[in-house]
mmCIF file of all heavy atoms in Angstrom:
data_model
loop_
_atom_site.group_PDB
_atom_site.id
_atom_site.type_symbol
_atom_site.label_atom_id
_atom_site.label_comp_id
_atom_site.label_asym_id
_atom_site.label_seq_id
_atom_site.Cartn_x
_atom_site.Cartn_y
_atom_site.Cartn_z
ATOM 1 N N VAL W 29 5.782 15.668 -12.005
ATOM 2 C CA VAL W 29 4.883 14.713 -12.628
ATOM 3 C C VAL W 29 3.433 15.182 -12.571
ATOM 4 O O VAL W 29 2.680 15.161 -13.566
ATOM 5 C CB VAL W 29 4.885 13.265 -12.011
ATOM 6 C CG1 VAL W 29 3.861 12.372 -12.583
ATOM 7 C CG2 VAL W 29 6.307 12.672 -12.208
ATOM 8 N N GLN W 30 3.019 15.760 -11.444
ATOM 9 C CA GLN W 30 1.647 16.274 -11.358
ATOM 10 C C GLN W 30 1.379 17.412 -12.309
ATOM 11 O O GLN W 30 0.341 17.461 -13.001
ATOM 12 C CB GLN W 30 1.373 16.730 -9.903
ATOM 13 C CG GLN W 30 1.684 15.715 -8.787
ATOM 14 C CD GLN W 30 1.237 14.331 -9.054
ATOM 15 O OE1 GLN W 30 -0.044 14.081 -9.071
ATOM 16 N NE2 GLN W 30 2.075 13.381 -9.300
ATOM 17 N N ASP W 31 2.393 18.348 -12.355
ATOM 18 C CA ASP W 31 2.170 19.497 -13.262
ATOM 19 C C ASP W 31 2.227 19.083 -14.719
ATOM 20 O O ASP W 31 1.380 19.573 -15.525
ATOM 21 C CB ASP W 31 3.270 20.498 -12.977
ATOM 22 C CG ASP W 31 3.224 21.140 -11.620
ATOM 23 O OD1 ASP W 31 2.126 21.040 -11.020
ATOM 24 O OD2 ASP W 31 4.227 21.704 -11.120
ATOM 25 N N ARG W 32 3.198 18.211 -15.088
ATOM 26 C CA ARG W 32 3.279 17.741 -16.518
ATOM 27 C C ARG W 32 2.009 16.996 -16.894
ATOM 28 O O ARG W 32 1.567 17.079 -18.053
ATOM 29 C CB ARG W 32 4.495 16.979 -16.713
ATOM 30 C CG ARG W 32 5.801 17.591 -16.378
ATOM 31 C CD ARG W 32 6.066 18.916 -17.059
ATOM 32 N NE ARG W 32 7.317 19.487 -16.563
ATOM 33 C CZ ARG W 32 7.440 20.291 -15.522
ATOM 34 N NH1 ARG W 32 6.311 20.650 -14.856
ATOM 35 N NH2 ARG W 32 8.554 20.733 -15.126
ATOM 36 N N TRP W 33 1.467 16.200 -15.957
ATOM 37 C CA TRP W 33 0.292 15.464 -16.307
ATOM 38 C C TRP W 33 -0.891 16.392 -16.589
ATOM 39 O O TRP W 33 -1.608 16.179 -17.548
ATOM 40 C CB TRP W 33 -0.106 14.519 -15.112
ATOM 41 C CG TRP W 33 -1.170 13.590 -15.544
ATOM 42 C CD1 TRP W 33 -2.469 13.720 -15.309
ATOM 43 C CD2 TRP W 33 -1.024 12.289 -16.231
ATOM 44 N NE1 TRP W 33 -3.215 12.638 -15.842
ATOM 45 C CE2 TRP W 33 -2.341 11.757 -16.359
ATOM 46 C CE3 TRP W 33 0.107 11.615 -16.639
ATOM 47 C CZ2 TRP W 33 -2.515 10.561 -17.009
ATOM 48 C CZ3 TRP W 33 -0.188 10.405 -17.256
ATOM 49 C CH2 TRP W 33 -1.447 9.877 -17.447
ATOM 50 N N ILE W 34 -1.066 17.399 -15.802
ATOM 51 C CA ILE W 34 -2.154 18.420 -16.141
ATOM 52 C C ILE W 34 -1.936 19.037 -17.392
ATOM 53 O O ILE W 34 -2.903 19.205 -18.222
ATOM 54 C CB ILE W 34 -2.178 19.410 -14.949
ATOM 55 C CG1 ILE W 34 -2.685 18.807 -13.641
ATOM 56 C CG2 ILE W 34 -3.158 20.575 -15.294
ATOM 57 C CD1 ILE W 34 -2.645 19.741 -12.458
ATOM 58 N N GLN W 35 -0.680 19.518 -17.721
ATOM 59 C CA GLN W 35 -0.405 20.112 -19.022
ATOM 60 C C GLN W 35 -0.698 19.166 -20.210
ATOM 61 O O GLN W 35 -1.251 19.540 -21.230
ATOM 62 C CB GLN W 35 1.010 20.557 -19.037
ATOM 63 C CG GLN W 35 1.334 21.706 -18.074
ATOM 64 C CD GLN W 35 2.802 21.794 -17.774
ATOM 65 O OE1 GLN W 35 3.599 20.999 -18.118
ATOM 66 N NE2 GLN W 35 3.089 22.956 -17.086
ATOM 67 N N TYR W 36 -0.282 17.910 -19.945
ATOM 68 C CA TYR W 36 -0.548 16.814 -21.005
ATOM 69 C C TYR W 36 -2.047 16.698 -21.253
ATOM 70 O O TYR W 36 -2.515 16.581 -22.387
ATOM 71 C CB TYR W 36 0.083 15.537 -20.607
ATOM 72 C CG TYR W 36 -0.109 14.365 -21.555
ATOM 73 C CD1 TYR W 36 0.490 14.301 -22.745
ATOM 74 C CD2 TYR W 36 -0.975 13.294 -21.125
ATOM 75 C CE1 TYR W 36 0.331 13.227 -23.556
ATOM 76 C CE2 TYR W 36 -1.093 12.248 -21.916
ATOM 77 C CZ TYR W 36 -0.503 12.203 -23.203
ATOM 78 O OH TYR W 36 -0.656 11.107 -23.995
ATOM 79 N N GLU W 37 -2.821 16.637 -20.135
ATOM 80 C CA GLU W 37 -4.288 16.460 -20.327
ATOM 81 C C GLU W 37 -4.880 17.662 -21.053
ATOM 82 O O GLU W 37 -5.798 17.501 -21.867
ATOM 83 C CB GLU W 37 -4.941 16.359 -18.928
ATOM 84 C CG GLU W 37 -4.725 15.052 -18.304
ATOM 85 C CD GLU W 37 -5.486 14.861 -16.985
ATOM 86 O OE1 GLU W 37 -5.648 15.891 -16.202
ATOM 87 O OE2 GLU W 37 -5.897 13.727 -16.656
ATOM 88 N N LEU W 38 -4.378 18.880 -20.783
ATOM 89 C CA LEU W 38 -4.863 20.038 -21.411
ATOM 90 C C LEU W 38 -4.574 20.022 -22.972
ATOM 91 O O LEU W 38 -5.416 20.347 -23.767
ATOM 92 C CB LEU W 38 -4.233 21.332 -20.897
ATOM 93 C CG LEU W 38 -4.706 21.685 -19.511
ATOM 94 C CD1 LEU W 38 -3.781 22.836 -18.952
ATOM 95 C CD2 LEU W 38 -6.124 22.117 -19.526
ATOM 96 N N VAL W 39 -3.317 19.480 -23.338
ATOM 97 C CA VAL W 39 -3.035 19.308 -24.725
ATOM 98 C C VAL W 39 -3.984 18.303 -25.363
ATOM 99 O O VAL W 39 -4.511 18.525 -26.526
ATOM 100 C CB VAL W 39 -1.574 18.878 -24.862
ATOM 101 C CG1 VAL W 39 -1.239 18.507 -26.324
ATOM 102 C CG2 VAL W 39 -0.628 19.976 -24.466
ATOM 103 N N GLN W 40 -4.199 17.182 -24.717
ATOM 104 C CA GLN W 40 -5.014 16.097 -25.322
ATOM 105 C C GLN W 40 -6.465 16.604 -25.419
ATOM 106 O O GLN W 40 -7.116 16.302 -26.337
ATOM 107 C CB GLN W 40 -5.015 14.890 -24.404
ATOM 108 C CG GLN W 40 -3.601 14.246 -24.239
ATOM 109 C CD GLN W 40 -3.072 13.828 -25.581
ATOM 110 O OE1 GLN W 40 -3.652 13.143 -26.334
ATOM 111 N NE2 GLN W 40 -1.862 14.238 -25.865
ATOM 112 N N GLU W 41 -6.885 17.393 -24.414
ATOM 113 C CA GLU W 41 -8.245 17.971 -24.476
ATOM 114 C C GLU W 41 -8.431 18.921 -25.653
ATOM 115 O O GLU W 41 -9.389 18.896 -26.362
ATOM 116 C CB GLU W 41 -8.525 18.691 -23.144
ATOM 117 C CG GLU W 41 -9.977 19.055 -22.932
ATOM 118 C CD GLU W 41 -10.111 19.719 -21.577
ATOM 119 O OE1 GLU W 41 -9.719 20.926 -21.414
ATOM 120 O OE2 GLU W 41 -10.716 19.086 -20.706
ATOM 121 N N GLY W 42 -7.369 19.714 -25.824
ATOM 122 C CA GLY W 42 -7.341 20.600 -26.937
ATOM 123 C C GLY W 42 -7.407 19.936 -28.363
ATOM 124 O O GLY W 42 -8.146 20.354 -29.200
ATOM 125 N N GLU W 43 -6.590 18.859 -28.461
ATOM 126 C CA GLU W 43 -6.642 18.068 -29.709
ATOM 127 C C GLU W 43 -7.977 17.396 -29.907
ATOM 128 O O GLU W 43 -8.456 17.368 -31.085
ATOM 129 C CB GLU W 43 -5.493 17.024 -29.714
ATOM 130 C CG GLU W 43 -4.099 17.635 -29.715
ATOM 131 C CD GLU W 43 -3.060 16.583 -29.581
ATOM 132 O OE1 GLU W 43 -3.342 15.409 -29.348
ATOM 133 O OE2 GLU W 43 -1.812 16.937 -29.765
ATOM 134 N N ALA W 44 -8.551 16.912 -28.832
ATOM 135 C CA ALA W 44 -9.834 16.261 -29.010
ATOM 136 C C ALA W 44 -10.910 17.217 -29.426
ATOM 137 O O ALA W 44 -11.896 16.785 -30.113
ATOM 138 C CB ALA W 44 -10.252 15.636 -27.653
ATOM 139 N N THR W 45 -10.812 18.445 -29.091
ATOM 140 C CA THR W 45 -11.847 19.485 -29.454
ATOM 141 C C THR W 45 -11.461 20.249 -30.700
ATOM 142 O O THR W 45 -12.195 21.170 -31.093
ATOM 143 C CB THR W 45 -12.134 20.433 -28.310
ATOM 144 O OG1 THR W 45 -10.883 21.100 -27.959
ATOM 145 C CG2 THR W 45 -12.678 19.780 -27.084
ATOM 146 N N GLY W 46 -10.342 19.831 -31.359
ATOM 147 C CA GLY W 46 -9.906 20.488 -32.601
ATOM 148 C C GLY W 46 -9.182 21.722 -32.521
ATOM 149 O O GLY W 46 -8.996 22.439 -33.448
ATOM 150 N N GLN W 47 -8.798 22.068 -31.222
ATOM 151 C CA GLN W 47 -8.036 23.376 -31.102
ATOM 152 C C GLN W 47 -6.594 23.203 -31.523
ATOM 153 O O GLN W 47 -6.093 22.077 -31.492
ATOM 154 C CB GLN W 47 -8.078 23.829 -29.652
ATOM 155 C CG GLN W 47 -9.477 24.153 -29.119
ATOM 156 C CD GLN W 47 -9.445 24.450 -27.633
ATOM 157 O OE1 GLN W 47 -8.365 24.490 -27.025
ATOM 158 N NE2 GLN W 47 -10.645 24.683 -27.095
ATOM 159 N N GLU W 48 -5.974 24.232 -31.887
ATOM 160 C CA GLU W 48 -4.649 24.192 -32.432
ATOM 161 C C GLU W 48 -3.581 24.124 -31.328
ATOM 162 O O GLU W 48 -2.429 23.801 -31.573
ATOM 163 C CB GLU W 48 -4.330 25.405 -33.324
ATOM 164 C CG GLU W 48 -5.142 25.418 -34.603
ATOM 165 C CD GLU W 48 -4.827 24.253 -35.485
ATOM 166 O OE1 GLU W 48 -3.666 23.827 -35.520
ATOM 167 O OE2 GLU W 48 -5.761 23.728 -36.152
#
Side-chain angles (χ1 to χ4, degrees):
V29 173
Q30 310 312 293
D31 294 343
R32 304 304 177 269
W33 188 268
I34 292 175
Q35 293 161 350
Y36 177 71
E37 286 184 328
L38 289 171
V39 171
Q40 299 302 306
E41 190 177 74
E43 291 178 353
T45 57
Q47 297 176 3
E48 294 298 324

